Amino acid sequence: MTADALPEPGAARSAPDRLLAVLAAFDHDHPALSLTDISRRAGLTLTTAHRLVGALTEWGALERDADGVYHVGLRLWEVAALAPRGLALRQIALPYLEDLYEATHENVQLAVRDGDEVVYIEWLSGRSAVGVHIRVGARWPLHATGVGLALLAHGDPASQETYCQGELAAFTPYTITDGARLRRVLAEVRRTGAAVSSRQVTEDALSVAAPVRGPGGTVVAAVSVVVPRAGAQVPVLTPAVRVAARGISRALGWRPDEVSTPRAGRDSGGSGRGSLIPGRSALLPPRPTPLSAPPS
């Protein structure tokens, strides 16, 4: 069936639903679409798609290039920048992420939870860092990443249990796919204040993550560093990641007395940066040959 012959959804889809379907037609794999492509991916007739795309283009949510291909417009980015869990959080966290990156020269990530997934809102990486399947805006299941484990472990118990009882997708032979094992991992994350995720998405990488708290102590994000699994010094990386998370938390308005720590004396404390994070030589063994990124 051609795009022109697609039936109108009618009452089953409201006008806002159809408008959002046009925007949802765009994703990381489809950043540029023709009008026909939009019609097909949104499940709309060509006439309806033309009308909605025209309105979105006039407002600035979409932009049309010289070849007649549509892209997400700058106006939409301006609105998205107002999201408190997006650029606003990123701006507060960035100095601490940069400190952690300077200490490791490895992948440093900031993520928030959206349902059963993590969404990455910042990513710092060097040319010699271990390859990861990450980009800003990328989504991954909670159980498969360090930041996801940190976020899931501090979610409400009911949502944790629902997640553990669900299907756990595997990406490597080492990905957690057993609910009972996941429960034990989450308990350990709460006990230590950090999550360690090894070979869960790629077999050559290890992630250490820690929760970021907002006012009142609620976990609002997680920060992590991803390093080569071979030779990774988790006991040394963990305090560095926790210090970065603690610094971001303080900048967001959290105070240590608003939530109990897993064990007295395990946090480095303080709201300063820089000198609290050990240098790269203390965190990682020499790596003579940079690892190349895995194919996407």
Side-chain angles (χ1 to χ4, degrees), residues 3 9 19 23 35 40 54 58 60 62 66 100 106 126 132 138 143 147 154 183 200 204 217 255 257 283-284:
L19 196 67
L23 295 177
L35 182 60
R40 176 178 51 82
E58 183 178 358
L62 298 179
L100 186 56
E106 295 289 349
V132 294
H143 68 280
V147 286
H154 293 88
R183 292 185 189 94
Q200 296 292 296
D204 60 347
R255 294 295 175 262
D257 58 358
L283 294 173
L284 298 171

Side-chain angles (χ1 to χ4, degrees), residues 130-131 133 140 143-146 149 169-177 181 196-208 226-230 232:
V130 63
H133 296 305
W140 280 92
H143 68 280
T145 66
L149 291 172
F171 303 97
T172 73
Y174 308 97
T175 306
I176 300 172
T177 57
R181 180 188 171 198
V196 178
S197 177
S198 179
R199 300 187 290 180
Q200 296 292 296
V201 175
T202 60
E203 296 187 31
D204 60 347
L206 178 144
S207 170
V208 178
V226 182
V227 303
R229 184 185 67 84

Side-chain angles (χ1 to χ4, degrees), residues 2-20:
T2 65
D4 292 277
L6 284 172
E8 281 284 351
R13 299 175 73 183
S14 66
D17 287 337
R18 293 193 292 270
L19 196 67
L20 292 174

Side-chain angles (χ1 to χ4, degrees), residues 42-288:
L44 301 171
T45 66
L46 197 58
T47 300
T48 300
H50 181 269
R51 182 177 71 254
L52 296 176
V53 166
L56 289 168
T57 303
E58 183 178 358
W59 185 76
L62 298 179
E63 295 177 356
R64 185 175 184 270
D65 64 22
D67 296 324
V69 175
Y70 292 89
H71 309 258
V72 173
L74 189 60
R75 183 75 178 273
L76 206 59
W77 180 87
E78 293 173 357
V79 174
L82 302 175
R85 294 198 301 162
L87 288 182
L89 175 58
R90 171 193 172 276
Q91 290 173 349
I92 292 173
L94 192 56
Y96 303 92
L97 301 178
E98 290 173 340
D99 281 350
L100 186 56
Y101 170 76
E102 287 301 324
T104 63
H105 287 184
E106 295 289 349
N107 297 285
V108 173
Q109 304 165 345
L110 180 69
V112 296
R113 180 176 178 176
D114 185 22
D116 290 342
E117 298 175 314
V118 293
V119 179
Y120 291 86
I121 62 174
E122 185 54 277
W123 168 45
L124 304 179
S125 181
R127 286 175 294 179
S128 62
V130 63
V132 294
H133 296 305
I134 294 300
R135 59 179 179 267
V136 173
R139 292 173 174 265
W140 280 92
L142 291 168
H143 68 280
T145 66
V147 286
L149 291 172
L151 291 164
L152 182 59
H154 293 88
D156 67 89
S159 70
Q160 289 181 42
E161 186 57 28
T162 299
Y163 192 95
C164 289
Q165 291 179 2
E167 182 178 354
L168 304 177
F171 303 97
T172 73
Y174 308 97
T175 306
I176 300 172
T177 57
D178 177 67
R181 180 188 171 198
L182 180 57
R183 292 185 189 94
R184 293 193 295 270
V185 170
L186 297 178
E188 182 67 7
V189 172
R190 289 188 294 271
R191 186 186 72 83
T192 62
V196 178
S197 177
S198 179
R199 300 187 290 180
Q200 296 292 296
V201 175
T202 60
E203 296 187 31
D204 60 347
L206 178 144
S207 170
V208 178
V212 172
R213 300 181 183 274
T218 302
V219 171
V220 296
V223 61
S224 71
V225 61
V226 182
V227 303
R229 184 185 67 84
Q233 300 182 35
V234 174
V236 183
L237 287 166
T238 300
V241 176
R242 294 183 67 196
V243 167
R246 189 180 180 93
I248 300 169
S249 300
R250 284 181 175 271
L252 290 172
W254 171 76
R255 294 295 175 262
D257 58 358
E258 292 177 325
V259 65
S260 59
T261 54
R263 184 179 300 176
R266 291 182 67 90
D267 278 318
S268 300
S271 59
R273 307 187 343 258
S275 62
L276 292 177
I277 299 180
R280 173 177 168 80
S281 61
L283 294 173
L284 298 171
R287 190 171 71 252

